[in-house]
């Protein structure tokens, strides 16, 4: 039987309320199954949007580290800090060309193109995790991940009618399998049970996709609705939280003593500011010298030290990672 894979190592977000967290791939003959007991508690259930940078946004004092990390991503920003000013500007020029080509290719960088680039760099960790998952799940190497492939790689192969006959809590595993198949079908937007890379990303990181919101809410309700009345009672919620954060004792917006699906959605996927758009507006405002609402390559390179760093202003940081795409 195929050994199981721990999906949190493959990029499963830590808030995920599903029972399914897979064991590490064992290569020495040991059999493994997803552990029904594994998984985060309430504190990890909520998906909070990560900041573009942990650095202070302090342009007024000539500190552009926040902008560098927002524009490039944290690891690539470290690489630029090791470059000469000339090489840093040359690489920035290539990024400008990529931003324009990814948009309308008109020779200018619009606000939308700048926002898309920032969002792209901030999602690099998700792309990396999906790439790792892809290599595990695309067992026939046809460029797609079928439900059967994912199921067998996760749970092992079973003949029809013999599912989980070799485990004590077979019913729990059957529920886990049903739950994963339901999520897969929602992620599989064309309904062919063959996931593209984008569809597998939606399966592994549903919090990033609006069309997956309902399944996130449904899974949370299933986990916490102990009396199965379709609501989360306040005591059920508190039991999951263990200890509430200040000012966040519960999310009962209509004060009826329970959380309905809408309130659960506000809790586990709280509304968030469009941070890439905010930063794109900031960079555009600071660099658009002719105030025409768009950026030329010359305007970006004329303000290059706000977009990227170099050895001229950054010292002593280690080169940690190389990205061929830049």
């Amino acid at each position: 039987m195929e050994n199981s894979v721990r999906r949190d190592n493959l990029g499963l977000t830590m808030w995920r309320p599903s029972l399914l967290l897979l064991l590490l791939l064992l290569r020495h003959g040991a059999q493994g199954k997803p552990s029904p007991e594994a998984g985060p508690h309430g504190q990890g259930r909520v998906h909070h949007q990560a900041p573009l940078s942990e650095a202070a946004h302090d342009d007024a004092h000539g500190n552009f580290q926040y902008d560098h990390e927002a524009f490039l991503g944290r690891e690539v920003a470290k690489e630029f800090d090791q470059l000469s000013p000339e090489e840093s500007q040359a690489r920035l020029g290539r990024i400008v060309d990529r931003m324009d080509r990814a948009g309308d290719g008109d020779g200018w960088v619009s606000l939308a193109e700048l926002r898309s680039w920032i969002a792209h760099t901030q999602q690099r960790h998700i792309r990396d995790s999906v790439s790792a998952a892809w290599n595990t799940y695309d067992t026939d190497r046809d460029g797609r991940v079928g439900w059967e492939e994912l199921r067998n790689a996760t749970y092992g192969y079973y003949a029809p009618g013999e599912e989980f006959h070799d485990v004590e809590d077979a019913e729990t595993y059957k529920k886990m399998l049903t739950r994963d198949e339901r999520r897969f079908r929602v992620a599989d937007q064309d309904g062919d049970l063959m996931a593209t890379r984008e569809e597998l990303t939606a399966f592994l990181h549903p919090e990033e996709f609006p069309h997956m919101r309902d399944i996130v809410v449904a899974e949370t309700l299933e986990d916490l609705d102990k009396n199965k009345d379709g609501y989360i009672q306040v005591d059920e919620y508190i039991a999951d939280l263990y200890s509430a954060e200040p000012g966040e004792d519960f999310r009962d917006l209509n004060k009826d003593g329970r959380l309905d699906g809408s309130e659960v959605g506000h809790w586990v996927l709280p509304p968030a500011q469009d941070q890439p758009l905010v930063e794109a507006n900031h960079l555009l405002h600071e660099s658009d010298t002719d105030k025409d609402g768009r950026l030329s390559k010359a305007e970006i390179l004329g303000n290059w030290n706000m977009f990227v760093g170099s050895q001229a202003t950054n010292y002593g940081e280690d080169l940690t990672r190389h990205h061929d795409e830049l």
Side-chain angles (χ1 to χ4, degrees):
M1 185 182 301
E2 293 291 332
N3 294 316
S4 298
V5 180
R6 184 180 175 93
R7 194 179 297 159
D8 54 351
N9 270 15
L10 300 177
L12 185 63
T13 51
M14 288 307 297
W15 66 266
R16 183 186 177 187
S18 173
L19 293 173
L20 177 58
L21 285 176
L22 304 179
L23 298 175
L24 289 169
L25 188 62
L26 305 175
R27 292 297 187 187
H28 302 290
Q31 299 295 325
K33 286 282 185 299
S35 169
E37 290 79 21
H41 295 293
Q43 290 90 335
R45 196 180 297 281
V46 180
H47 174 72
H48 291 294
Q49 187 180 42
L52 300 183
S53 170
E54 298 292 348
H57 205 170
D58 190 23
D59 293 359
H61 294 89
N63 181 359
F64 301 122
Q65 191 61 33
Y66 181 99
D67 299 303
H68 298 168
E69 294 182 2
F71 182 73
L72 296 169
R74 298 178 195 183
E75 295 304 312
V76 178
K78 292 179 182 179
E79 290 186 28
F80 270 76
D81 289 349
Q82 308 305 311
L83 302 177
S84 68
E86 295 75 19
E87 178 59 21
S88 183
Q89 292 177 63
R91 290 182 67 177
L92 175 59
R94 294 195 290 271
I95 290 174
V96 173
D97 294 339
R98 286 189 61 194
M99 284 192 290
D100 184 40
R101 287 198 305 269
D104 56 19
D106 65 351
W108 303 85
V109 174
S110 67
L111 176 65
E113 289 168 343
L114 187 54
R115 183 215 169 274
S116 293
W117 170 261
I118 294 171
H120 173 81
T121 64
Q122 295 296 320
Q123 301 251 325
R124 184 175 286 116
H125 68 285
I126 292 178
R127 295 195 300 275
D128 288 347
S129 74
V130 171
S131 293
W134 192 269
N135 292 333
T136 297
Y137 293 140
D138 183 19
T139 55
D140 62 7
R141 300 295 185 259
D142 68 346
R144 299 184 298 172
V145 173
W147 166 244
E148 297 292 327
E149 287 179 296
L150 189 145
R151 183 189 66 184
N152 293 338
T154 299
Y155 294 96
Y157 176 80
Y158 288 96
E162 296 185 0
E163 290 85 354
F164 309 116
H165 68 277
D166 55 344
V167 298
E168 291 184 6
D169 195 359
E171 289 305 313
T172 295
Y173 286 105
K174 287 179 181 178
K175 290 178 182 178
M176 293 162 64
L177 177 60
T178 298
R179 185 160 159 151
D180 260 19
E181 183 176 0
R182 181 184 62 184
R183 182 190 277 203
F184 188 93
R185 288 179 180 275
V186 175
D188 176 32
Q189 290 194 284
D190 60 10
D192 63 355
L193 290 182
M194 300 293 294
T196 62
R197 191 171 291 265
E198 182 77 359
E199 289 169 337
L200 185 65
T201 304
F203 174 75
L204 292 174
H205 297 274
E207 77 286 352
E208 301 292 338
F209 293 82
H211 73 277
M212 300 295 289
R213 181 182 179 87
D214 287 348
I215 199 68
V216 172
V217 172
E219 290 176 359
T220 304
L221 276 169
E222 289 168 358
D223 281 346
L224 300 185
D225 180 16
K226 304 304 181 184
N227 63 10
K228 305 305 177 187
D229 66 349
Y231 297 88
I232 298 176
Q233 305 300 325
V234 170
D235 58 347
E236 293 171 329
Y237 169 81
I238 295 298
D240 185 71
L241 270 186
Y242 292 105
S243 61
E245 297 178 6
E248 195 175 15
D249 53 344
F250 59 88
R251 296 287 187 178
D252 181 16
L253 301 179
N254 61 11
K255 310 304 180 186
D256 65 351
R258 61 188 185 179
L259 305 185
D260 60 23
S262 176
E263 290 167 330
V264 171
H266 277 85
W267 169 35
V268 297
L269 292 171
Q273 184 183 53
D274 189 337
Q275 294 186 76
L277 179 60
V278 171
E279 178 65 11
N281 268 307
H282 169 65
L283 293 175
L284 179 65
H285 175 76
E286 295 296 329
S287 307
D288 183 17
T289 56
D290 61 9
K291 304 304 177 186
D292 64 351
R294 59 185 183 177
L295 295 177
S296 67
K297 189 172 185 178
E299 286 176 320
I300 293 175
L301 292 178
N303 196 27
W304 68 274
N305 61 332
M306 177 172 278
F307 287 83
V308 298
S310 75
Q311 289 177 342
T313 55
N314 301 278
Y315 300 96
E317 295 198 30
D318 294 327
L319 183 61
T320 60
R321 188 175 179 186
H322 178 70
H323 290 283
D324 293 335
E325 66 179 6
L326 301 179

PDB file of all heavy atoms in Angstrom, residues 94-124:
ATOM      1  N   ARG A  94      14.320  44.593 -15.853  1.00  0.00           N
ATOM      2  CA  ARG A  94      13.736  43.365 -16.396  1.00  0.00           C
ATOM      3  C   ARG A  94      12.384  43.076 -15.747  1.00  0.00           C
ATOM      4  O   ARG A  94      11.465  42.563 -16.398  1.00  0.00           O
ATOM      5  CB  ARG A  94      14.698  42.201 -16.207  1.00  0.00           C
ATOM      6  CG  ARG A  94      15.988  42.337 -17.010  1.00  0.00           C
ATOM      7  CD  ARG A  94      16.757  41.036 -17.109  1.00  0.00           C
ATOM      8  NE  ARG A  94      17.339  40.629 -15.850  1.00  0.00           N
ATOM      9  CZ  ARG A  94      18.561  40.996 -15.440  1.00  0.00           C
ATOM     10  NH1 ARG A  94      19.289  41.823 -16.180  1.00  0.00           N
ATOM     11  NH2 ARG A  94      19.045  40.547 -14.297  1.00  0.00           N
ATOM     12  N   ILE A  95      12.266  43.397 -14.460  1.00  0.00           N
ATOM     13  CA  ILE A  95      10.978  43.210 -13.785  1.00  0.00           C
ATOM     14  C   ILE A  95       9.927  44.136 -14.390  1.00  0.00           C
ATOM     15  O   ILE A  95       8.773  43.730 -14.604  1.00  0.00           O
ATOM     16  CB  ILE A  95      11.120  43.472 -12.273  1.00  0.00           C
ATOM     17  CG1 ILE A  95      11.943  42.368 -11.623  1.00  0.00           C
ATOM     18  CG2 ILE A  95       9.744  43.554 -11.605  1.00  0.00           C
ATOM     19  CD1 ILE A  95      12.257  42.617 -10.151  1.00  0.00           C
ATOM     20  N   VAL A  96      10.311  45.384 -14.678  1.00  0.00           N
ATOM     21  CA  VAL A  96       9.378  46.325 -15.298  1.00  0.00           C
ATOM     22  C   VAL A  96       8.864  45.766 -16.622  1.00  0.00           C
ATOM     23  O   VAL A  96       7.659  45.815 -16.918  1.00  0.00           O
ATOM     24  CB  VAL A  96      10.041  47.694 -15.510  1.00  0.00           C
ATOM     25  CG1 VAL A  96       9.120  48.626 -16.313  1.00  0.00           C
ATOM     26  CG2 VAL A  96      10.395  48.338 -14.177  1.00  0.00           C
ATOM     27  N   ASP A  97       9.764  45.212 -17.422  1.00  0.00           N
ATOM     28  CA  ASP A  97       9.352  44.616 -18.703  1.00  0.00           C
ATOM     29  C   ASP A  97       8.383  43.460 -18.473  1.00  0.00           C
ATOM     30  O   ASP A  97       7.398  43.310 -19.215  1.00  0.00           O
ATOM     31  CB  ASP A  97      10.573  44.119 -19.467  1.00  0.00           C
ATOM     32  CG  ASP A  97      11.490  45.255 -19.910  1.00  0.00           C
ATOM     33  OD1 ASP A  97      11.012  46.401 -19.990  1.00  0.00           O
ATOM     34  OD2 ASP A  97      12.688  44.992 -20.138  1.00  0.00           O
ATOM     35  N   ARG A  98       8.629  42.658 -17.448  1.00  0.00           N
ATOM     36  CA  ARG A  98       7.737  41.530 -17.155  1.00  0.00           C
ATOM     37  C   ARG A  98       6.365  42.019 -16.711  1.00  0.00           C
ATOM     38  O   ARG A  98       5.338  41.456 -17.099  1.00  0.00           O
ATOM     39  CB  ARG A  98       8.322  40.648 -16.049  1.00  0.00           C
ATOM     40  CG  ARG A  98       9.479  39.779 -16.487  1.00  0.00           C
ATOM     41  CD  ARG A  98       9.831  38.796 -15.394  1.00  0.00           C
ATOM     42  NE  ARG A  98       8.710  37.923 -15.089  1.00  0.00           N
ATOM     43  CZ  ARG A  98       8.634  37.159 -14.002  1.00  0.00           C
ATOM     44  NH1 ARG A  98       9.595  37.203 -13.111  1.00  0.00           N
ATOM     45  NH2 ARG A  98       7.598  36.382 -13.811  1.00  0.00           N
ATOM     46  N   MET A  99       6.333  43.050 -15.875  1.00  0.00           N
ATOM     47  CA  MET A  99       5.042  43.573 -15.421  1.00  0.00           C
ATOM     48  C   MET A  99       4.207  44.038 -16.609  1.00  0.00           C
ATOM     49  O   MET A  99       2.996  43.783 -16.672  1.00  0.00           O
ATOM     50  CB  MET A  99       5.257  44.735 -14.441  1.00  0.00           C
ATOM     51  CG  MET A  99       5.691  44.309 -13.055  1.00  0.00           C
ATOM     52  SD  MET A  99       5.582  45.667 -11.848  1.00  0.00           S
ATOM     53  CE  MET A  99       6.919  46.724 -12.406  1.00  0.00           C
ATOM     54  N   ASP A 100       4.855  44.728 -17.548  1.00  0.00           N
ATOM     55  CA  ASP A 100       4.117  45.245 -18.706  1.00  0.00           C
ATOM     56  C   ASP A 100       3.667  44.105 -19.617  1.00  0.00           C
ATOM     57  O   ASP A 100       2.531  44.097 -20.097  1.00  0.00           O
ATOM     58  CB  ASP A 100       4.990  46.239 -19.463  1.00  0.00           C
ATOM     59  CG  ASP A 100       4.245  46.875 -20.628  1.00  0.00           C
ATOM     60  OD1 ASP A 100       3.050  47.185 -20.473  1.00  0.00           O
ATOM     61  OD2 ASP A 100       4.851  47.052 -21.696  1.00  0.00           O
ATOM     62  N   ARG A 101       4.539  43.122 -19.846  1.00  0.00           N
ATOM     63  CA  ARG A 101       4.172  41.996 -20.704  1.00  0.00           C
ATOM     64  C   ARG A 101       3.015  41.196 -20.106  1.00  0.00           C
ATOM     65  O   ARG A 101       2.158  40.684 -20.833  1.00  0.00           O
ATOM     66  CB  ARG A 101       5.367  41.069 -20.919  1.00  0.00           C
ATOM     67  CG  ARG A 101       6.435  41.616 -21.845  1.00  0.00           C
ATOM     68  CD  ARG A 101       7.337  40.500 -22.353  1.00  0.00           C
ATOM     69  NE  ARG A 101       7.922  39.738 -21.266  1.00  0.00           N
ATOM     70  CZ  ARG A 101       9.087  40.017 -20.687  1.00  0.00           C
ATOM     71  NH1 ARG A 101       9.780  41.075 -21.086  1.00  0.00           N
ATOM     72  NH2 ARG A 101       9.564  39.255 -19.712  1.00  0.00           N
ATOM     73  N   ALA A 102       2.987  41.092 -18.774  1.00  0.00           N
ATOM     74  CA  ALA A 102       1.914  40.351 -18.120  1.00  0.00           C
ATOM     75  C   ALA A 102       0.587  41.093 -18.183  1.00  0.00           C
ATOM     76  O   ALA A 102      -0.470  40.501 -17.953  1.00  0.00           O
ATOM     77  CB  ALA A 102       2.279  40.065 -16.662  1.00  0.00           C
ATOM     78  N   GLY A 103       0.637  42.397 -18.491  1.00  0.00           N
ATOM     79  CA  GLY A 103      -0.576  43.194 -18.603  1.00  0.00           C
ATOM     80  C   GLY A 103      -0.949  43.409 -20.055  1.00  0.00           C
ATOM     81  O   GLY A 103      -1.109  42.462 -20.821  1.00  0.00           O
ATOM     82  N   ASP A 104      -1.046  44.688 -20.448  1.00  0.00           N
ATOM     83  CA  ASP A 104      -1.492  44.977 -21.815  1.00  0.00           C
ATOM     84  C   ASP A 104      -0.348  45.212 -22.783  1.00  0.00           C
ATOM     85  O   ASP A 104      -0.566  45.400 -23.978  1.00  0.00           O
ATOM     86  CB  ASP A 104      -2.439  46.184 -21.820  1.00  0.00           C
ATOM     87  CG  ASP A 104      -1.810  47.420 -21.177  1.00  0.00           C
ATOM     88  OD1 ASP A 104      -0.575  47.476 -21.053  1.00  0.00           O
ATOM     89  OD2 ASP A 104      -2.572  48.330 -20.785  1.00  0.00           O
ATOM     90  N   GLY A 105       0.898  45.220 -22.274  1.00  0.00           N
ATOM     91  CA  GLY A 105       2.052  45.348 -23.166  1.00  0.00           C
ATOM     92  C   GLY A 105       2.130  46.658 -23.905  1.00  0.00           C
ATOM     93  O   GLY A 105       2.693  46.727 -25.008  1.00  0.00           O
ATOM     94  N   ASP A 106       1.611  47.737 -23.281  1.00  0.00           N
ATOM     95  CA  ASP A 106       1.582  49.025 -23.976  1.00  0.00           C
ATOM     96  C   ASP A 106       2.808  49.885 -23.693  1.00  0.00           C
ATOM     97  O   ASP A 106       2.894  51.027 -24.136  1.00  0.00           O
ATOM     98  CB  ASP A 106       0.318  49.799 -23.595  1.00  0.00           C
ATOM     99  CG  ASP A 106       0.276  50.195 -22.115  1.00  0.00           C
ATOM    100  OD1 ASP A 106       1.147  49.731 -21.343  1.00  0.00           O
ATOM    101  OD2 ASP A 106      -0.649  50.946 -21.735  1.00  0.00           O
ATOM    102  N   GLY A 107       3.777  49.345 -22.940  1.00  0.00           N
ATOM    103  CA  GLY A 107       4.987  50.100 -22.659  1.00  0.00           C
ATOM    104  C   GLY A 107       4.924  50.903 -21.381  1.00  0.00           C
ATOM    105  O   GLY A 107       5.889  51.599 -21.034  1.00  0.00           O
ATOM    106  N   TRP A 108       3.800  50.829 -20.664  1.00  0.00           N
ATOM    107  CA  TRP A 108       3.625  51.533 -19.404  1.00  0.00           C
ATOM    108  C   TRP A 108       3.216  50.526 -18.331  1.00  0.00           C
ATOM    109  O   TRP A 108       2.649  49.479 -18.629  1.00  0.00           O
ATOM    110  CB  TRP A 108       2.541  52.613 -19.514  1.00  0.00           C
ATOM    111  CG  TRP A 108       2.784  53.617 -20.589  1.00  0.00           C
ATOM    112  CD1 TRP A 108       2.450  53.515 -21.916  1.00  0.00           C
ATOM    113  CD2 TRP A 108       3.435  54.875 -20.453  1.00  0.00           C
ATOM    114  NE1 TRP A 108       2.835  54.619 -22.604  1.00  0.00           N
ATOM    115  CE2 TRP A 108       3.452  55.486 -21.734  1.00  0.00           C
ATOM    116  CE3 TRP A 108       3.992  55.556 -19.371  1.00  0.00           C
ATOM    117  CZ2 TRP A 108       4.005  56.734 -21.955  1.00  0.00           C
ATOM    118  CZ3 TRP A 108       4.548  56.809 -19.587  1.00  0.00           C
ATOM    119  CH2 TRP A 108       4.552  57.395 -20.870  1.00  0.00           C
ATOM    120  N   VAL A 109       3.476  50.869 -17.072  1.00  0.00           N
ATOM    121  CA  VAL A 109       3.027  50.037 -15.957  1.00  0.00           C
ATOM    122  C   VAL A 109       1.848  50.734 -15.302  1.00  0.00           C
ATOM    123  O   VAL A 109       1.988  51.839 -14.745  1.00  0.00           O
ATOM    124  CB  VAL A 109       4.156  49.807 -14.930  1.00  0.00           C
ATOM    125  CG1 VAL A 109       3.612  49.049 -13.715  1.00  0.00           C
ATOM    126  CG2 VAL A 109       5.295  49.021 -15.568  1.00  0.00           C
ATOM    127  N   SER A 110       0.688  50.120 -15.403  1.00  0.00           N
ATOM    128  CA  SER A 110      -0.528  50.692 -14.827  1.00  0.00           C
ATOM    129  C   SER A 110      -0.631  50.310 -13.351  1.00  0.00           C
ATOM    130  O   SER A 110       0.107  49.457 -12.848  1.00  0.00           O
ATOM    131  CB  SER A 110      -1.755  50.175 -15.568  1.00  0.00           C
ATOM    132  OG  SER A 110      -1.915  48.773 -15.346  1.00  0.00           O
ATOM    133  N   LEU A 111      -1.580  50.928 -12.661  1.00  0.00           N
ATOM    134  CA  LEU A 111      -1.831  50.570 -11.269  1.00  0.00           C
ATOM    135  C   LEU A 111      -2.214  49.096 -11.159  1.00  0.00           C
ATOM    136  O   LEU A 111      -1.736  48.395 -10.266  1.00  0.00           O
ATOM    137  CB  LEU A 111      -2.949  51.448 -10.703  1.00  0.00           C
ATOM    138  CG  LEU A 111      -3.404  51.122  -9.271  1.00  0.00           C
ATOM    139  CD1 LEU A 111      -2.279  51.372  -8.275  1.00  0.00           C
ATOM    140  CD2 LEU A 111      -4.635  51.954  -8.908  1.00  0.00           C
ATOM    141  N   ALA A 112      -3.054  48.621 -12.060  1.00  0.00           N
ATOM    142  CA  ALA A 112      -3.481  47.220 -12.024  1.00  0.00           C
ATOM    143  C   ALA A 112      -2.302  46.279 -12.236  1.00  0.00           C
ATOM    144  O   ALA A 112      -2.195  45.235 -11.574  1.00  0.00           O
ATOM    145  CB  ALA A 112      -4.561  46.969 -13.077  1.00  0.00           C
ATOM    146  N   GLU A 113      -1.402  46.612 -13.154  1.00  0.00           N
ATOM    147  CA  GLU A 113      -0.237  45.762 -13.409  1.00  0.00           C
ATOM    148  C   GLU A 113       0.698  45.749 -12.209  1.00  0.00           C
ATOM    149  O   GLU A 113       1.257  44.705 -11.853  1.00  0.00           O
ATOM    150  CB  GLU A 113       0.491  46.249 -14.665  1.00  0.00           C
ATOM    151  CG  GLU A 113      -0.287  45.981 -15.950  1.00  0.00           C
ATOM    152  CD  GLU A 113       0.275  46.717 -17.152  1.00  0.00           C
ATOM    153  OE1 GLU A 113       1.058  47.688 -16.965  1.00  0.00           O
ATOM    154  OE2 GLU A 113      -0.079  46.349 -18.283  1.00  0.00           O
ATOM    155  N   LEU A 114       0.869  46.895 -11.579  1.00  0.00           N
ATOM    156  CA  LEU A 114       1.727  46.977 -10.401  1.00  0.00           C
ATOM    157  C   LEU A 114       1.122  46.184  -9.249  1.00  0.00           C
ATOM    158  O   LEU A 114       1.826  45.443  -8.551  1.00  0.00           O
ATOM    159  CB  LEU A 114       1.914  48.443 -10.003  1.00  0.00           C
ATOM    160  CG  LEU A 114       2.914  48.753  -8.888  1.00  0.00           C
ATOM    161  CD1 LEU A 114       4.286  48.156  -9.175  1.00  0.00           C
ATOM    162  CD2 LEU A 114       3.019  50.268  -8.698  1.00  0.00           C
ATOM    163  N   ARG A 115      -0.188  46.296  -9.056  1.00  0.00           N
ATOM    164  CA  ARG A 115      -0.847  45.522  -8.011  1.00  0.00           C
ATOM    165  C   ARG A 115      -0.723  44.024  -8.271  1.00  0.00           C
ATOM    166  O   ARG A 115      -0.452  43.239  -7.360  1.00  0.00           O
ATOM    167  CB  ARG A 115      -2.325  45.897  -7.925  1.00  0.00           C
ATOM    168  CG  ARG A 115      -3.046  45.179  -6.791  1.00  0.00           C
ATOM    169  CD  ARG A 115      -4.485  44.823  -7.123  1.00  0.00           C
ATOM    170  NE  ARG A 115      -5.015  43.929  -6.102  1.00  0.00           N
ATOM    171  CZ  ARG A 115      -4.874  42.613  -6.132  1.00  0.00           C
ATOM    172  NH1 ARG A 115      -4.214  42.027  -7.123  1.00  0.00           N
ATOM    173  NH2 ARG A 115      -5.363  41.864  -5.155  1.00  0.00           N
ATOM    174  N   SER A 116      -0.906  43.610  -9.517  1.00  0.00           N
ATOM    175  CA  SER A 116      -0.806  42.184  -9.855  1.00  0.00           C
ATOM    176  C   SER A 116       0.588  41.639  -9.570  1.00  0.00           C
ATOM    177  O   SER A 116       0.746  40.516  -9.084  1.00  0.00           O
ATOM    178  CB  SER A 116      -1.162  41.960 -11.330  1.00  0.00           C
ATOM    179  OG  SER A 116      -2.525  42.243 -11.553  1.00  0.00           O
ATOM    180  N   TRP A 117       1.608  42.446  -9.868  1.00  0.00           N
ATOM    181  CA  TRP A 117       2.976  42.003  -9.603  1.00  0.00           C
ATOM    182  C   TRP A 117       3.216  41.815  -8.111  1.00  0.00           C
ATOM    183  O   TRP A 117       3.785  40.809  -7.684  1.00  0.00           O
ATOM    184  CB  TRP A 117       3.988  43.001 -10.168  1.00  0.00           C
ATOM    185  CG  TRP A 117       5.376  42.690  -9.707  1.00  0.00           C
ATOM    186  CD1 TRP A 117       6.065  43.287  -8.688  1.00  0.00           C
ATOM    187  CD2 TRP A 117       6.228  41.653 -10.214  1.00  0.00           C
ATOM    188  NE1 TRP A 117       7.298  42.697  -8.529  1.00  0.00           N
ATOM    189  CE2 TRP A 117       7.427  41.693  -9.447  1.00  0.00           C
ATOM    190  CE3 TRP A 117       6.108  40.720 -11.229  1.00  0.00           C
ATOM    191  CZ2 TRP A 117       8.473  40.823  -9.687  1.00  0.00           C
ATOM    192  CZ3 TRP A 117       7.165  39.846 -11.465  1.00  0.00           C
ATOM    193  CH2 TRP A 117       8.327  39.909 -10.695  1.00  0.00           C
ATOM    194  N   ILE A 118       2.777  42.779  -7.298  1.00  0.00           N
ATOM    195  CA  ILE A 118       2.977  42.681  -5.854  1.00  0.00           C
ATOM    196  C   ILE A 118       2.241  41.468  -5.299  1.00  0.00           C
ATOM    197  O   ILE A 118       2.784  40.713  -4.476  1.00  0.00           O
ATOM    198  CB  ILE A 118       2.520  43.979  -5.161  1.00  0.00           C
ATOM    199  CG1 ILE A 118       3.434  45.140  -5.576  1.00  0.00           C
ATOM    200  CG2 ILE A 118       2.528  43.823  -3.641  1.00  0.00           C
ATOM    201  CD1 ILE A 118       2.944  46.504  -5.130  1.00  0.00           C
ATOM    202  N   ALA A 119       1.009  41.253  -5.746  1.00  0.00           N
ATOM    203  CA  ALA A 119       0.258  40.072  -5.303  1.00  0.00           C
ATOM    204  C   ALA A 119       0.983  38.793  -5.713  1.00  0.00           C
ATOM    205  O   ALA A 119       1.043  37.824  -4.949  1.00  0.00           O
ATOM    206  CB  ALA A 119      -1.151  40.097  -5.883  1.00  0.00           C
ATOM    207  N   HIS A 120       1.556  38.782  -6.908  1.00  0.00           N
ATOM    208  CA  HIS A 120       2.290  37.615  -7.401  1.00  0.00           C
ATOM    209  C   HIS A 120       3.498  37.304  -6.519  1.00  0.00           C
ATOM    210  O   HIS A 120       3.717  36.151  -6.144  1.00  0.00           O
ATOM    211  CB  HIS A 120       2.740  37.889  -8.840  1.00  0.00           C
ATOM    212  CG  HIS A 120       3.651  36.856  -9.421  1.00  0.00           C
ATOM    213  ND1 HIS A 120       3.187  35.672  -9.948  1.00  0.00           N
ATOM    214  CD2 HIS A 120       5.008  36.821  -9.562  1.00  0.00           C
ATOM    215  CE1 HIS A 120       4.208  34.963 -10.385  1.00  0.00           C
ATOM    216  NE2 HIS A 120       5.326  35.638 -10.167  1.00  0.00           N
ATOM    217  N   THR A 121       4.261  38.312  -6.161  1.00  0.00           N
ATOM    218  CA  THR A 121       5.452  38.066  -5.336  1.00  0.00           C
ATOM    219  C   THR A 121       5.064  37.595  -3.940  1.00  0.00           C
ATOM    220  O   THR A 121       5.764  36.767  -3.348  1.00  0.00           O
ATOM    221  CB  THR A 121       6.314  39.331  -5.218  1.00  0.00           C
ATOM    222  OG1 THR A 121       5.592  40.364  -4.538  1.00  0.00           O
ATOM    223  CG2 THR A 121       6.740  39.838  -6.579  1.00  0.00           C
ATOM    224  N   GLN A 122       3.952  38.093  -3.417  1.00  0.00           N
ATOM    225  CA  GLN A 122       3.547  37.723  -2.069  1.00  0.00           C
ATOM    226  C   GLN A 122       2.981  36.305  -2.012  1.00  0.00           C
ATOM    227  O   GLN A 122       2.852  35.737  -0.937  1.00  0.00           O
ATOM    228  CB  GLN A 122       2.508  38.718  -1.542  1.00  0.00           C
ATOM    229  CG  GLN A 122       3.042  40.127  -1.364  1.00  0.00           C
ATOM    230  CD  GLN A 122       4.127  40.217  -0.306  1.00  0.00           C
ATOM    231  OE1 GLN A 122       4.041  39.581   0.737  1.00  0.00           O
ATOM    232  NE2 GLN A 122       5.168  41.007  -0.569  1.00  0.00           N
ATOM    233  N   GLN A 123       2.658  35.726  -3.163  1.00  0.00           N
ATOM    234  CA  GLN A 123       2.094  34.368  -3.204  1.00  0.00           C
ATOM    235  C   GLN A 123       3.151  33.326  -3.552  1.00  0.00           C
ATOM    236  O   GLN A 123       2.834  32.166  -3.795  1.00  0.00           O
ATOM    237  CB  GLN A 123       0.982  34.307  -4.250  1.00  0.00           C
ATOM    238  CG  GLN A 123      -0.157  35.273  -3.996  1.00  0.00           C
ATOM    239  CD  GLN A 123      -1.425  34.580  -3.554  1.00  0.00           C
ATOM    240  OE1 GLN A 123      -1.706  33.498  -4.007  1.00  0.00           O
ATOM    241  NE2 GLN A 123      -2.156  35.197  -2.662  1.00  0.00           N
ATOM    242  N   ARG A 124       4.410  33.725  -3.545  1.00  0.00           N
ATOM    243  CA  ARG A 124       5.458  32.787  -3.949  1.00  0.00           C
ATOM    244  C   ARG A 124       5.494  31.546  -3.062  1.00  0.00           C
ATOM    245  O   ARG A 124       5.698  30.434  -3.532  1.00  0.00           O
ATOM    246  CB  ARG A 124       6.819  33.493  -3.943  1.00  0.00           C
ATOM    247  CG  ARG A 124       7.972  32.623  -4.453  1.00  0.00           C
ATOM    248  CD  ARG A 124       9.266  33.408  -4.540  1.00  0.00           C
ATOM    249  NE  ARG A 124       9.258  34.324  -5.665  1.00  0.00           N
ATOM    250  CZ  ARG A 124       9.304  35.640  -5.562  1.00  0.00           C
ATOM    251  NH1 ARG A 124       9.327  36.216  -4.377  1.00  0.00           N
ATOM    252  NH2 ARG A 124       9.321  36.402  -6.633  1.00  0.00           N
TER     253      ARG A 124
END
